[in-house]
Amino acid sequence: MRIDLHTHTVASDGTDTPAELVAAAVAAGLDVLAITDHDTTRGWAEALDARPAGLTIVPGAEFSCVYYDPTGRRVSLHLLGYLFDPDDPALRAERSRLRESRLVRAEEIVRRLAADDFEITWEQVGALADGATVGRPHIARALVAAGVVPDVSAAFSELLSSRGGYYVRKADTDVFDSIGLITAAGGLPVFAHPIARRRGPVVGDEVVAAMAAAGLVGLEVNHPDHDADDREHAAGLARDLGLIGTGSSDYHGTNKTTRLAACTTDPEAYERLLALPAARAPVGP
Ligand code: AMP
Ligand code: ZN
Ligand code: FE
Ligand code: FE
């Protein structure tokens, strides 16, 4: 069994359509694929329509969250929510609020870049996103198209990093509220790339313990942004806290160099996840 539990499509900041993602999953030899676009369920229907008989699809989303430590330090973090009810009013409203906040914030990032004579416009970025959950990768592609940077990854390292002057925060959900919302919608919250330091500050083990006490069910252990030590640490933490350790590629099509199924979830971990009560069942064999 080959299982990839974290992927993106054009419904957010990936470059494959949901149908193309499903085809890519088959080509990569996957048996189970989760579709987890940022703050939206928009890609679910097309992915499920395109599903071949042999593939199982786990509908999900990746939720933008924030944690403030006692000293007021802000840490941005992501929760994967699996198998929640897409019509749950509270979670639905929160997804919508998050997408709106992303729009306002992306517009401000573009304004700051344009003010410094990087020749991109909000119209271009909006056209690239085309109704999807907008994110920095869309701005990165506009910068590539304008000839400012050679590729998306250079756009991030040179201009869009969370540590740089053009970065603007979004109004992300308090991580404990998000765990509550996902759980109340019948979903299973899993902490995505918990030790991805390259992206910005990360939380300590004690915060993960508090998240576990609040209802977190899993921790992404095998992720492209985790090195061998990170994976070992995350696996140990998951074991200590009784969390399910997952693995996934966080595939974004050509917006990243990571291939689909580059990291995968152990079938035993997947079975543990499925044994938990959820609003929906995965679709497929
Ligand atoms: P945002 O959601 O707008 O804050 O943008 C974050 C997204 O940008 C992540 O989910 C990744 O898809 C992508 N990203 C972050 N860092 C990089 C990077 N160095 N290169 C390419 N994509 C990145
Ligand atoms: Zn993304
Ligand atoms: Fe993420
Ligand atoms: Fe992701």
Side-chain angles (χ1 to χ4, degrees):
M1 283 256 281
R2 300 216 344 124
I3 303 157
D4 190 338
L5 291 182
H6 181 167
T7 67
H8 298 266
T9 74
V10 295
S12 65
D13 56 7
T15 58
D16 286 6
T17 64
E20 287 167 348
L21 171 70
V22 166
V26 173
L30 284 173
D31 302 288
V32 180
L33 168 77
I35 172 171
T36 55
D37 279 301
H38 296 282
D39 307 316
T40 188
T41 60
R42 182 180 161 120
W44 289 13
E46 183 185 322
L48 292 172
D49 280 348
R51 186 187 67 82
L55 180 72
T56 296
I57 293 182
V58 178
E62 183 171 19
F63 293 91
S64 310
C65 306
V66 62
Y67 170 76
Y68 287 95
D69 77 12
T71 69
R73 189 183 66 127
R74 182 185 197 275
V75 182
S76 150
L77 62 187
H78 290 168
L79 286 182
L80 295 159
Y82 298 115
L83 302 171
F84 58 85
D85 172 6
D87 297 321
D88 177 85
L91 187 56
R92 199 185 174 113
E94 188 59 10
R95 288 196 300 277
S96 164
R97 193 194 66 80
L98 286 165
R99 291 194 303 269
E100 181 58 33
S101 160
R102 282 172 164 279
L103 272 175
V104 175
R105 166 270 199 158
E107 219 170 331
E108 175 60 18
I109 296 177
V110 170
R111 198 195 60 73
R112 290 187 185 185
L113 286 163
D116 266 2
D117 295 330
F118 296 111
E119 298 203 344
I120 60 167
T121 65
W122 174 243
E123 284 65 37
Q124 290 171 315
V125 175
L128 280 167
D130 193 24
T133 305
V134 70
R136 282 178 286 162
H138 297 110
I139 303 172
R141 274 173 37 215
L143 289 164
V144 174
V148 174
V149 284
D151 52 41
V152 166
S153 116
F156 270 90
S157 52
E158 291 169 30
L159 295 167
L160 297 174
S161 153
S162 66
R163 297 172 172 101
Y166 298 104
Y167 183 75
V168 179
R169 293 166 177 179
K170 347 185 220 59
D172 296 337
T173 316
D174 175 89
V175 69
F176 295 99
D177 291 344
S178 189
I179 290 171
L181 283 165
I182 294 166
T183 306
L188 306 172
V190 171
F191 191 177
H193 45 75
I195 328 182
R197 280 180 228 90
R198 198 168 57 88
R199 300 169 181 232
V202 299
V203 295
D205 294 356
E206 72 290 351
V207 177
V208 183
M211 288 165 67
L216 188 76
V217 305
L219 206 55
E220 232 174 30
V221 170
N222 296 320
H223 183 282
D225 289 359
H226 289 173
D227 65 22
D229 286 349
D230 296 334
R231 292 177 198 208
E232 198 177 316
H233 183 79
L237 189 59
R239 225 173 7 249
D240 290 349
L241 296 172
L243 297 170
I244 300 168
T246 66
S248 25
S249 64
D250 201 355
Y251 174 72
H252 280 70
T254 58
N255 276 348
K256 280 190 185 172
T257 51
T258 310
R259 284 170 303 105
L260 189 60
C263 296
T264 55
T265 295
D266 196 56
E268 186 263 340
Y270 177 62
E271 291 307 323
R272 278 178 68 200
L273 201 63
L274 287 195
L276 297 169
R280 291 197 140 208
V283 183

